[in-house]
Amino acid sequence: HDMKKYVLLSLCLILLLALGSCGNSGSEDSGNEADMQEFPSFTGLDLDGNSVNSDIFSENSVTVVNFWFSSCSPCIGELSELDSLDQELKEKGGAVIGINTDTLNGDNSMIEEAKKILMQQKASYRNLYFDSNSGDAMDFANSITSFPTTYLVDRGGYIIGDPVVGSIDDESTMKMLKKRIDKIIENDKDVPYQDNE
């Protein structure tokens, strides 16, 4: 009799788990947003000690978020390319931000190391790390297994499309990335803004 109860309970659990992992199953009809992933909200600091949080996305039509770490040579190899991209995007209302996963726990020696590398590579765009209370963002960063990995995030804080895994310093990858960026900027312009007219 106990066995029967146990089996039933297990079945219920399995069903619950299966349902729980479907995410937005109820909102298929709400168009695109159902399969859009939001960049986890965070608070933190940039490498110069200024506070920063996920509101940073709302400032730009598109934010290119590049995850890297200090002993990853393909990551370091693309920093100057990312800096050029950042300069280009500033003209269009976008930005590049870097997240060096070695600095995520606020380790000062790692922060100094990252700053040194960025300086050597003449990369002046903003790099930041999360506060310890940014659990979801921390988990998100820790779930990245290949570096560098680059995400495109829109003004609403949603990740658009698949991440670019691997360095973007070859011409065809950069071309593809810029195409995707332009599309996001274009879509952002379609949103009616409050004009000061």
Side-chain angles (χ1 to χ4, degrees), residues 68-189:
W68 65 291
F69 66 95
S70 301
S71 54
C72 156
S73 40
C75 300
I76 294 168
E78 68 174 5
L79 292 176
S80 59
E81 296 288 335
L82 285 166
D83 196 68
S84 310
L85 180 64
D86 182 55
Q87 302 301 328
E88 208 175 300
L89 281 182
K90 275 183 185 153
E91 308 285 305
K92 302 176 174 181
V96 175
I97 60 174
I99 296 173
N100 177 314
T101 52
D102 289 334
T103 65
L104 281 179
N105 55 1
D107 180 318
N108 279 328
S109 62
M110 285 302 184
I111 290 168
E112 285 314 308
E113 174 72 6
K115 284 169 80 165
K116 202 168 79 187
I117 293 167
L118 288 159
M119 216 159 78
Q120 284 164 352
Q121 299 300 313
K122 299 185 171 47
S124 59
Y125 59 89
R126 210 163 183 192
N127 269 259
L128 50 97
Y129 61 95
F130 308 138
D131 282 344
S132 50
N133 61 358
S134 304
D136 289 347
M138 227 40 128
D139 293 346
F140 181 78
N142 290 329
S143 71
I144 296 171
T145 49
S146 303
F147 289 85
T149 289
T150 304
Y151 287 89
L152 297 180
V153 182
D154 71 4
R155 191 184 292 276
Y158 284 96
I159 294 168
I160 305 293
D162 293 327
V164 179
V165 177
S167 51
I168 56 174
D169 52 3
D170 69 280
E171 212 174 318
S172 62
T173 313
M174 187 54 106
K175 218 174 178 161
M176 175 271 295
L177 187 67
K178 285 184 176 173
K179 220 178 181 155
R180 287 178 56 190
I181 287 169
D182 286 342
K183 205 173 162 191
I184 297 170
I185 292 173
E186 213 34 62
N187 286 342
D188 188 52
K189 286 191 183 129

